[in-house]
Amino acid sequence: MKINLSRRAFCISTAILSALAFAPDFAAPARADDAIKLGLVAPMSGPNARYGSFAMRGAELAVKEINDAGGIDGKMIELSNADSQGTPVEGVSATRRLIDQEGVSYLIGDVSSSVTLAMQPVAEDAGVLLLNAASSNPKITYDAGVGGFKWTFRNYPTDENRALVVAKYAAEKRGFTKFAVLSVDTDYGRSAIQFTKKYLPQFKGEILSEDYYKEGEVDFRSVLAKIRDNGAQAIIYYGLVDTTPIVARQMTELGLAGKVVLMGNGEFNAASVIAAAPEAMEGAIEAAAWLPAWDSPKSKAFVAAFEAAYNESPNNHAYVHWEAVHLLAEAIREAGANDPEKVREALSKIKYDSAMGEVTFDDHNQARLPMILLEIENGKPSIKGAYSAEIEYPAQ
Amino acid sequence: MFSTILEQVVNGIVTGSIYAIVAVGMTMIFGVLRAINFAHGEYYMLGTFGAWFAIDYLGLSYEASIIVAVLSTVVVAYVVGRLVMQRMVGAPAEAGVLATLGIALVLQNTVILVFGGGYKFFAGGYIAPVEIFGFSLAQQRILILVVCILVFIGLELMVSHTRMGRSMRAVAQNVECCEVVGIDVPQVVLRTFILGAALAGLSGVLTAPVNVTVYGGMGELITFKTLPIIIMGGLGNVRGTLFAAMILGIAESLVATYIGLQYRDTVGFATLILMLMWRPYGLFSTQARF
Amino acid sequence: MSLTQPSEQARRRDYRVPLGILLFVVALAAPFIGSRYVVHSLIIALVFMLPAHGLNLLVGYTGLLSLAQAAFFGIGAYAAGLLAVAYGTPFYVNAVFAGLVAGAVALPLGVPALRLRSTSFVMCTLGFVIIGQAISKNWISLTRGDMGLSGIPKPYFELGPLSFSVGGTTGFYYLALAIGVLATLAVWAVVRSPAGRNMVAIRENETLAESLGVPTWHYKLIVFMLSAVFAGVGGSLYAHYLTVVSPLTFQMYYSTTMLIIVLGGGAGMISGTIFGSLLFVGLTEALRITPELRMIAYGLCLLVLVFWFKRGFAPVINRVWNAIGGAK
């Protein structure tokens, strides 16, 4: 009987709890005009949490900075987070909850492209501005702006420009002709290589081997041995920041350090990555949208603030989300009102002074971002050039 | 040509030794509980985090951090064992799956909550490479290989000569008879569980220097790598697991070299399925028990 | 009080029919009572309910624990999505095609898998999901790999002059509800049929069933394929609702969700699966009130489920239901 009683009590309490949790949903909340409601969808559990965590903290830091400075025209930003777990279903549920229950007018999200793609129709339907800061699938903006989804904007580079610039530099300035591909097996890695293959023949480069690694892979010895034997001069690596030190260390292990160079993107310039395997990282070529060592007042202030607040160095994900919040705040200021329609207009015409230079949006709501080409020299990133390129959109 | 293949085989053996230490723990737990421990990878993660914490926050040396790592895993395993695993004796398979999934979620997300979700880099360990028979290997990998051999020798001795080992075998064979004979089944289960989890934690701390990144969700992948190994080795079969781990390691290396790295993860389950079609009871067992 | 005469007790009223009607009305009126978030959650519950029904047939009625539902779900999603994107076919064509493809794939997979004993079978089915993910990632010419299949059009019904497209959350909810009801009726029919009784016999005692002449092997295979069909149809619904299908559909998340729905609801009872879907969605969404502790709480709930509700919630619901019906 005792067991039955406690089970019954548990059932009843669960039922009440669930009902209570859902009860607020049964009344559509009124959008208060005195607060700017911003939602953030990011992976906060599961393996992708290792990126979502940086994204969240970057955004939170920016919100705090803006609110501490008096908000936007006196109105404070209210930030609500929801966990997407890196799964499209959860991402859509998170989006729906933020829109319907928290009443957000602006959304930033997600990190995984598949989740962002699933979020797009939801935001479009609800007339909520979706500012993506970390997904790399080109389709997100091929289908945005004049391409379809008017409410989606992206403040993150697509890989077309990057692939071209890196390939060009490697071939022209460093004289490489033989390449091996080792990229992450996601849309990011695959599309970057697709674009690279498009441009490489122009520079008389040939690809000797092509391998993609799964997220979470830690053993590259076999592939690196293959690369050592086929005589490639550079490894085209478009990968994840926490895999770069593993590859670099294993390059050292196999004797490739100093003989073969990494090129592409994977936060080669981060101090912790270089420190993990300095010999292997020496001479690496990277095209990045940001680097912690960038010498501009805004960027340095960001790095200092992040380190002070969280005791950890910021990475790319933290930066782009921080920048996205500030970008949005600027658009709201220029629109003059907390009205998503007006903010959208303002955003599409904005000339935003980011920590890296001027940012504008093209007609597909894709940001034209200044990109930096750098090479690691003597253990430090050395800027070789900056560029900003137009994207060729396929005919719809 | 021959030397390339030999090199890949050596790579495979090195990888296999990592898998073996983790897998043997999972297979022993299965042996006494008849439950697949879907949370096994989380103990690997706890070992890594324990060591990382010891080095980064407590400023200990790598050697000391190994002890901290294994101890912290043992403590967590004790709690989980007392509260959950002991009650799984005699429970149906579904209960085991759900319970261990729940434990995995709790452990993973508690670590994310406490240490933050972001990735961390592991400092420490013997990462300088060394030349052996013309192959270049980090010293750490040789350490792993040596530890693997020691672990398996130790387990062999334990299982055949100690009381604990004999009780384990008894529980693995027939739980009801054990109760008749007077073996304290929950105690054996608890001890086996702690041992298995500790081995996973040890594997975690040993591989951290060569795997560099540390994050809360890293356990999931380890669980998935280990599952095919324990089936192929024969559930509950310690020696079989060692060979299955080695075979899988070598297969993965060869596939990564000659077919493509993107297929490496599927080698495990693909081999498993093929093997199940041909020899459903594991490569080294003679009858289908599970 | 005499021992032979029945004592007079007031008959408790049977509230089951009115309650049933009330629930039905609430289900129909949900879009007008709740916010879009609630309706969305109900749609997700219905989408997952289909593969869960299939899994329930396997686990509850034949005793086979399978983790492969996610594989067939994903195959169905890709099948429906590819057909819709390439040919713009009506929804019912996509759904049926998805179910058939999933069922067809289940045949060559089931034949060898079903010979295995329980634990090996579980691992084998898990292997199917992993291989499914690898295929969807690498067969780029068909599935577009990691770029995913996006822009799946809204479900379209070709009825001549009455053709319409289902758009919006409310519309989709009714579509999902209709399919959910059909699926539940289908499962109910299967279970009530003589075939269904044979399936229960297999679960209770396979050797005995065989000795009585029940072709256990055939039944297991048919049930395996049937469960795949359910998962495939569920996948088609998923594809149209999310408009995106990618290799992420083959994550473990989907397999474990379906398992939790069936085991949490109560394997072997249809009402269990329905309740399990609602419970799962209700729980995961309700727990969003504490974003940091959400998954920890969810894990703890799983443990509670295992220890206190070993047979799921269905027995409890049945007792409540019977109590409402006037029984003690």
Side-chain angles (χ1 to χ4, degrees):
Chain A
M1 268 310 116
K2 245 181 151 179
I3 305 168
N4 271 345
L5 264 176
S6 64
R7 261 200 224 182
R8 234 184 260 176
F10 181 79
C11 281
I12 296 173
S13 56
T14 317
I16 295 177
L17 190 66
S18 314
L20 276 178
F22 265 115
D25 301 333
F26 284 89
R31 286 193 187 177
D33 263 332
D34 47 0
I36 299 172
K37 295 201 179 197
L38 175 62
L40 177 67
V41 176
M44 290 168 206
S45 60
N48 279 349
R50 65 196 196 274
Y51 306 125
S53 160
F54 282 100
M56 217 170 51
R57 286 180 287 171
E60 278 170 0
L61 182 64
V63 169
K64 187 164 179 302
E65 285 175 352
I66 294 171
N67 282 348
D68 282 348
I72 303 173
D73 297 332
K75 301 187 197 141
M76 297 290 144
I77 304 183
E78 262 178 46
L79 180 66
S80 315
N81 291 335
D83 181 10
S84 71
Q85 286 191 40
T87 308
V89 166
E90 289 281 310
V92 172
S93 295
T95 311
R96 271 258 84 93
R97 185 187 175 99
L98 286 173
I99 295 176
D100 292 328
Q101 203 174 344
E102 312 286 340
V104 301
S105 319
Y106 315 100
L107 268 178
I108 297 184
D110 183 86
V111 172
S112 307
S113 298
S114 301
V115 179
T116 311
L117 286 168
M119 283 167 68
Q120 282 186 293
V122 180
E124 189 74 10
D125 226 18
V128 166
L129 186 63
L130 172 62
L131 181 57
N132 175 268
S135 302
S136 54
N137 194 331
K139 232 180 166 238
I140 293 172
T141 40
Y142 284 178
D143 288 340
V146 300
F149 291 116
K150 303 196 313 289
W151 289 94
T152 304
F153 285 77
R154 174 160 56 181
N155 186 32
Y156 190 73
T158 59
D159 292 294
E160 191 148 2
N161 328 334
R162 234 201 294 243
L164 172 56
V165 168
V166 170
K168 194 167 146 111
Y169 184 85
E172 292 181 353
K173 297 288 192 310
R174 297 287 293 268
F176 294 140
T177 51
K178 302 205 189 119
F179 302 91
V181 166
L182 176 60
S183 284
V184 65
D185 195 7
T186 62
D187 50 350
Y188 164 55
R190 293 253 185 188
S191 75
I193 298 300
Q194 221 177 346
F195 288 127
T196 307
K197 284 205 249 189
K198 190 165 125 188
Y199 296 119
L200 216 48
Q202 286 175 33
F203 306 109
K204 312 273 192 311
E206 56 165 322
I207 293 182
L208 298 173
S209 66
E210 195 172 328
D211 287 283
Y212 298 94
Y213 70 88
K214 289 273 181 322
E215 297 172 90
E217 178 66 75
V218 289
D219 194 341
F220 300 93
R221 294 174 46 95
S222 317
V223 177
L224 290 173
K226 184 163 75 177
I227 294 174
R228 181 196 61 203
D229 292 339
N230 68 23
Q233 297 162 302
I235 300 178
I236 307 181
Y237 173 91
Y238 285 93
L240 306 168
V241 54
D242 54 340
T243 326
T244 312
I246 308 178
V247 173
R249 269 207 193 159
Q250 289 177 8
M251 278 168 69
T252 317
E253 210 179 316
L254 284 167
L256 283 172
K259 301 201 183 100
V260 174
V261 145
L262 281 174
M263 56 184 262
N265 182 269
E267 282 191 54
F268 301 162
N269 55 75
S272 48
V273 170
I274 298 178
E279 277 177 39
M281 296 307 299
E282 190 65 26
I285 305 166
E286 182 177 32
W290 176 72
L291 53 153
W294 183 249
D295 196 6
S296 88
K298 277 195 187 179
S299 176
K300 290 240 173 281
F302 163 65
V303 174
F306 194 93
E307 280 175 356
Y310 302 115
N311 238 330
E312 236 181 300
S313 302
N315 72 351
N316 235 306
H317 281 121
Y319 168 73
V320 291
H321 282 81
W322 175 87
E323 194 71 89
V325 173
H326 278 291
L327 172 65
L328 191 60
E330 187 57 32
I332 298 177
R333 266 190 214 104
E334 291 195 3
N338 185 10
D339 177 348
E341 278 270 359
K342 296 202 181 127
V343 175
R344 194 188 78 199
E345 279 296 311
L347 194 58
S348 53
K349 300 194 197 99
I350 204 171
K351 285 194 187 11
Y352 174 67
D353 183 25
S354 79
M356 302 297 288
E358 189 181 85
V359 173
T360 56
F361 285 91
D362 65 17
D363 62 355
H364 278 257
N365 293 353
Q366 166 70 42
R368 295 188 193 93
L369 291 162
M371 300 276 275
I372 309 296
L373 184 67
L374 59 97
E375 204 179 312
I376 310 288
E377 279 174 357
N378 297 321
K380 290 213 182 336
S382 157
I383 315 292
K384 294 293 173 191
Y387 64 96
S388 173
E390 287 292 323
I391 299 173
E392 267 176 46
Y393 288 100
Q396 292 271 299
Chain B
M1 174 69 174
F2 178 69
S3 69
T4 334
I5 298 185
L6 187 61
E7 182 174 11
Q8 297 311 339
V9 168
V10 170
N11 278 344
I13 293 177
V14 167
T15 319
S17 55
I18 300 171
Y19 294 156
I21 305 179
V22 182
V24 79
M26 208 196 247
T27 209
M28 287 194 310
I29 294 173
F30 184 91
V32 296
L33 263 185
R34 299 286 184 278
I36 302 263
N37 185 12
F38 276 95
H40 204 70
E42 310 305 326
Y43 303 107
Y44 174 95
M45 181 269 292
L46 284 173
T48 315
F49 258 93
W52 170 81
F53 181 76
I55 293 181
D56 260 36
Y57 278 71
L58 303 176
L60 299 177
S61 69
Y62 179 62
E63 295 77 16
S65 76
I66 299 180
I67 300 177
V68 171
V70 175
L71 273 181
S72 49
T73 314
V74 164
V75 167
V76 173
Y78 179 75
V79 171
V80 171
R82 282 299 296 249
L83 292 178
V84 182
M85 302 314 274
Q86 281 188 320
R87 295 182 204 196
M88 306 254 74
V89 180
E94 299 94 61
V97 171
L98 279 188
T100 48
L101 281 175
I103 296 171
L105 279 174
V106 172
L107 290 176
Q108 218 184 76
N109 288 288
T110 310
V111 168
I112 290 178
L113 187 66
V114 171
F115 293 111
Y119 51 80
K120 301 145 198 332
F121 292 149
F122 192 87
Y126 309 107
I127 46 177
V130 94
E131 284 262 336
I132 298 220
F133 304 123
F135 304 125
S136 194
L137 286 174
Q139 291 168 349
Q140 189 74 19
R141 299 204 195 258
I142 303 189
L143 178 63
I144 295 173
L145 202 51
V146 167
V147 170
C148 174
I149 297 172
L150 289 175
V151 162
F152 275 90
I153 294 176
L155 284 176
E156 276 284 335
L157 292 174
M158 185 199 79
V159 163
S160 45
H161 294 295
T162 64
R163 191 194 195 112
M164 155 88 166
R166 283 197 289 264
S167 318
M168 265 173 61
R169 270 161 52 202
V171 172
Q173 281 171 10
N174 194 323
V175 177
E176 284 99 13
C177 284
C178 286
E179 283 162 358
V180 167
V181 167
I183 294 177
D184 186 353
V185 173
Q187 223 5 347
V188 173
V189 164
L190 182 65
R191 292 212 187 122
T192 314
F193 181 72
I194 294 179
L195 179 60
L199 285 172
L202 177 65
S203 178
V205 71
L206 288 176
T207 52
V210 285
N211 289 355
V212 191
T213 45
V214 177
Y215 56 98
M218 64 192 286
E220 221 172 277
L221 291 158
I222 302 291
T223 311
F224 280 98
K225 273 282 169 74
T226 320
L227 288 172
I229 297 176
I230 62 169
I231 311 277
M232 286 199 282
L235 291 159
N237 184 339
V238 168
R239 277 181 222 163
T241 309
L242 175 63
F243 291 116
M246 291 301 172
I247 292 173
L248 185 66
I250 295 173
E252 280 190 355
S253 275
L254 293 172
V255 165
T257 314
Y258 295 109
I259 304 182
L261 187 57
Q262 56 267 34
Y263 298 106
R264 200 192 142 114
D265 267 4
T266 45
V267 172
F269 273 97
T271 325
L272 172 67
I273 292 180
L274 286 172
M275 188 216 80
L276 285 175
M277 307 293 133
W278 169 54
R279 268 181 84 110
Y281 24 89
L283 292 166
F284 305 101
S285 308
T286 47
Q287 20 129 298
R289 282 162 71 202
F290 309 111
Chain C
M1 199 115 74
S2 156
L3 283 169
T4 50
Q5 276 179 344
S7 58
E8 284 172 27
Q9 288 173 335
R11 273 210 79 204
R12 284 155 83 187
R13 298 260 191 97
D14 185 349
Y15 288 113
R16 282 185 293 186
V17 172
L19 186 59
I21 295 179
L22 181 65
L23 285 174
F24 186 61
V25 168
V26 168
L28 282 179
F32 306 104
I33 308 177
S35 70
R36 283 174 77 168
Y37 173 50
V38 171
V39 179
H40 159 83
S41 307
L42 289 172
I43 295 176
I44 298 293
L46 288 164
V47 166
F48 278 123
M49 191 176 80
L50 275 106
H53 269 316
L55 186 59
N56 192 17
L57 281 177
L58 269 177
V59 175
Y61 293 99
T62 37
L64 294 164
L65 185 61
S66 159
L67 290 174
Q69 289 302 85
F72 300 121
F73 185 74
I75 291 174
Y78 266 107
L82 285 169
L83 207 59
V85 166
Y87 300 113
T89 37
F91 174 72
Y92 38 83
V93 171
N94 297 336
V96 169
F97 181 67
L100 289 176
V101 169
V105 172
L107 177 60
L109 293 180
V111 167
L114 289 165
R115 289 185 300 155
L116 301 167
R117 295 204 167 210
S118 60
T119 314
S120 308
F121 179 73
V122 176
M123 287 301 119
C124 192
T125 54
L126 185 58
F128 294 151
V129 178
I130 307 249
I131 307 274
Q133 186 174 48
I135 295 177
S136 72
K137 270 188 178 243
N138 290 300
W139 194 355
I140 298 181
S141 52
L142 180 68
T143 63
R144 331 244 167 129
D146 280 298
M147 304 298 267
L149 187 64
S150 58
I152 298 175
K154 298 191 167 99
Y156 175 65
F157 284 81
E158 176 79 53
L159 294 167
L162 293 171
S163 306
F164 64 96
S165 243
V166 175
T169 319
T170 311
F172 212 95
Y173 171 70
Y174 287 120
L175 176 63
L177 191 60
I179 299 198
V181 168
L182 284 173
T184 311
L185 288 174
V187 175
W188 187 80
V190 167
V191 168
R192 285 274 183 279
S193 67
R197 285 197 289 275
N198 283 339
M199 278 158 37
V200 176
I202 295 175
R203 178 191 72 198
E204 293 304 315
N205 193 327
E206 192 171 330
T207 334
L208 185 60
E210 271 208 41
S211 72
L212 289 172
V214 175
T216 51
W217 168 248
H218 291 135
Y219 270 106
K220 282 191 191 174
L221 187 60
I222 291 174
V223 171
F224 190 69
M225 287 171 62
L226 201 57
S227 74
V229 169
F230 274 100
V233 175
S236 72
L237 206 57
Y238 169 88
H240 279 287
Y241 184 55
L242 250 70
T243 74
V244 177
V245 183
S246 73
L248 291 180
T249 318
F250 290 96
Q251 283 168 325
M252 260 303 271
Y253 171 81
Y254 294 88
S255 273
T256 47
T257 299
M258 293 161 201
L259 195 63
I260 291 165
I261 291 176
V262 171
L263 295 177
M269 297 194 216
I270 298 178
S271 57
T273 313
I274 300 174
F275 186 75
S277 319
L278 291 170
L279 173 73
F280 164 75
V281 165
L283 193 62
T284 45
E285 294 305 314
L287 284 174
R288 281 190 195 271
I289 45 180
T290 51
E292 299 86 27
L293 300 176
R294 181 173 172 239
M295 294 316 286
I296 299 178
Y298 184 63
L300 290 172
C301 286
L302 284 182
L303 289 169
V304 164
L305 187 70
V306 168
F307 289 123
W308 284 6
F309 296 96
K310 283 201 177 74
R311 309 200 52 206
F313 279 99
V316 176
I317 306 167
N318 274 349
R319 252 191 308 197
V320 168
W321 189 245
N322 289 335
I324 298 176
K328 283 254 184 132

